Amino acid sequence: YSELMFTSAPCVFSVNYQARCISAQKAYNEKHRFIVGTCSAKDKNELSVLQYDEENNQIEAKAVYSHPHQVWAMEPSPKDSSLVLTASQGGNGTNSVSLYRLQEFMDADDEEEERGGRHNSYDGDLLDLESVSKFSYDPSVFVNTLKWHSMKDSVLALDPAAVTLWSLAEGGVSSVGSISTTTQENVDIGEFAAGGAAWDPHNVNLAAIASDSSLRFIDTRKLQVTSCVSNAHKGGIRDVDYNPNKPLTLITTGDDRKIKMWDARSLSCPVTTMEGHSHWVWCAKYNPFHDQLIISGGSDNLVNLWRIASCSSAPWLGVGLQESEAGSSQQDVDDDPPDVRIKVMDQHEECVYDLAWSAAEAW
């Protein structure tokens, strides 16, 4: 696993097993902190809490927890930094979705600095996860996406055939209902199926679901599909994310190697399409503070950083201003286009299945 920031050199941290999941610890925004879940075929797996130090360009493991099975999806609580959801699969093929509490660890940065810290590796003891609750799923159902609402105690869980809305209360977890997300017959619900889900940050009741090759918009009050873009991507759709600042704007990725931007008011065609991957695009995320910035990862082992200013919440002023003969300023669009891939990070040796922006603002 490597976390590549805007530095000239990559900062690498080695976890013990192969990993497919990474997420920012959303309820902790004082420093750049992430959780990584491993997906080893062995019985042993882990959740690692990692912290990035901008000043020294180092990653430190704050704590590592023993997890019972392969972690295929993960979602930290947006309100409580000690809570995390995981969707996992055991060696016998049984699946489960669980809510865990992270055992408290000592966050003594001063002491670590005095004795040199533990950077880029972990030599501490494995900590235990406290099981808080389990979702009442059939163990044959493979859940590939979990999304925790930022304002409500609601969770969307996506499997190969449906998306289920769950309510998290102090007394436990309960299912509110499900919506079918496929037009295929005889779907194998026990196998991994690519797809994604995203809550609309501008409407607490709406969400977008990426499944099969379609993009669906759902109203969670009625558990109904309000609109659908069939064949949003050729071959399959793999991720979806809302613009955090501009309402009704979102992006999707797919097996056609494209990232598409949509306006939910007019879904006949995408607003714009970005092409910069040579294989499936597994994921793409808006920067939570600066929505001109989008990062994407794919099966071509690439991470691409994009500036898509034409569809952002802020007007594009450009940096390539030139004086015309009449003395007025005009933008040289050819030299400074609003939409461009500004960085390619090619240090990964395997597919990039997941990526995350920090919950702490970098600037």
Side-chain angles (χ1 to χ4, degrees):
Y1 159 79
S2 63
E3 173 62 28
L4 301 175
M5 295 292 189
F6 297 106
T7 56
S8 58
C11 180
V12 178
F13 185 95
S14 299
V15 294
N16 292 324
Y17 309 105
Q18 186 178 28
R20 292 182 67 106
C21 303
I22 181 172
S23 179
Q25 201 169 19
K26 301 178 180 68
Y28 181 88
N29 57 14
E30 296 179 9
K31 297 181 180 179
H32 304 297
R33 189 170 286 182
F34 303 86
I35 303 180
V36 175
T38 66
C39 192
S40 170
K42 302 177 181 179
D43 291 336
K44 295 181 179 180
N45 277 280
E46 299 170 349
L47 296 184
S48 299
V49 179
L50 307 180
Q51 185 167 295
Y52 176 70
D53 179 359
E54 283 183 284
E55 184 177 349
N56 298 305
N57 191 32
Q58 291 180 318
I59 298 174
E60 175 190 0
K62 305 300 294 184
V64 178
Y65 299 85
S66 177
H67 190 280
H69 305 301
Q70 302 174 37
V71 182
W72 286 85
M74 180 181 61
E75 181 77 342
S77 167
K79 299 178 182 178
D80 186 340
S81 61
S82 71
L83 295 178
V84 61
L85 287 167
T86 66
S88 59
Q89 185 176 61
N92 58 359
T94 58
N95 305 288
S96 62
V97 178
S98 303
L99 175 62
Y100 290 107
R101 186 177 300 278
L102 304 176
Q103 179 183 325
E104 188 175 358
F105 56 86
M106 183 175 295
D107 192 9
D109 290 333
D110 293 339
E111 293 181 12
E112 289 295 323
E113 290 176 2
E114 287 179 4
R115 63 175 185 264
R118 295 195 306 270
H119 298 289
N120 302 334
S121 63
Y122 182 74
D123 56 9
D125 296 330
L126 281 178
L127 301 178
D128 294 326
L129 291 168
E130 176 190 343
S131 179
V132 177
S133 185
K134 287 189 178 293
F135 288 39
S136 56
Y137 263 111
D138 185 311
S140 65
V141 178
F142 193 113
V143 173
N144 67 285
T145 300
L146 295 166
K147 290 297 175 181
W148 201 323
H149 200 288
S150 62
M151 300 176 63
K152 303 190 297 183
D153 289 327
S154 299
V155 171
L156 291 173
L158 180 65
D159 64 64
V163 60
T164 303
L165 176 65
W166 296 84
S167 175
L168 277 64
E170 293 183 3
V173 179
S174 60
S175 172
V176 178
S178 298
I179 305 173
S180 174
T181 56
T182 182
T183 57
Q184 301 179 25
E185 297 181 359
N186 301 320
V187 175
D188 188 348
I189 59 174
E191 294 292 332
F192 174 84
W199 288 101
D200 187 338
H202 308 284
N203 190 316
V204 296
N205 299 306
L206 302 183
I209 306 298
S211 183
D212 287 345
S213 60
S214 300
L215 172 63
R216 294 174 174 86
F217 296 86
I218 64 172
D219 186 331
T220 59
R221 293 167 297 185
K222 304 176 182 178
L223 288 176
Q224 292 180 349
V225 176
T226 58
S227 56
C228 178
V229 182
S230 300
N231 299 315
H233 287 266
K234 293 182 179 179
I237 188 169
R238 293 190 173 265
D239 199 15
V240 59
D241 192 39
Y242 273 98
N243 187 314
N245 301 328
K246 186 177 180 180
L248 304 171
T249 305
L250 64 165
I251 52 175
T252 58
T253 70
D255 292 354
D256 53 7
R257 303 172 293 177
K258 297 177 181 178
I259 304 167
K260 296 184 179 182
M261 187 171 292
W262 304 88
D263 184 332
R265 296 166 296 185
S266 179
L267 295 168
S268 58
C269 62
V271 176
T272 189
T273 300
M274 295 98 80
E275 298 185 50
H277 287 277
S278 60
H279 208 265
W280 302 340
V281 187
W282 276 88
C283 48
K285 306 295 180 187
Y286 278 100
N287 183 284
F289 305 100
H290 309 278
D291 61 297
Q292 291 187 1
L293 298 177
I294 295 171
I295 198 164
S296 62
S299 297
D300 53 4
N301 307 351
L302 293 182
V303 174
N304 287 330
L305 178 64
W306 308 82
R307 183 191 68 201
I308 308 299
S310 65
C311 303
S312 71
S313 59
W316 176 240
L317 301 178
V319 294
L321 296 177
Q322 294 184 345
E323 292 292 324
S324 66
E325 294 181 358
S328 61
S329 295
Q330 70 178 36
Q331 181 181 345
D332 187 344
V333 178
D334 292 335
D335 290 343
D336 190 25
D339 301 340
V340 65
R341 183 174 64 172
I342 57 178
K343 190 169 185 178
V344 179
M345 292 161 272
D346 58 1
Q347 291 88 348
H348 289 273
E349 298 179 357
E350 300 288 346
C351 299
V352 179
Y353 295 110
D354 201 8
L355 41 79
W357 291 97
S358 171
E361 190 167 6
W363 298 285

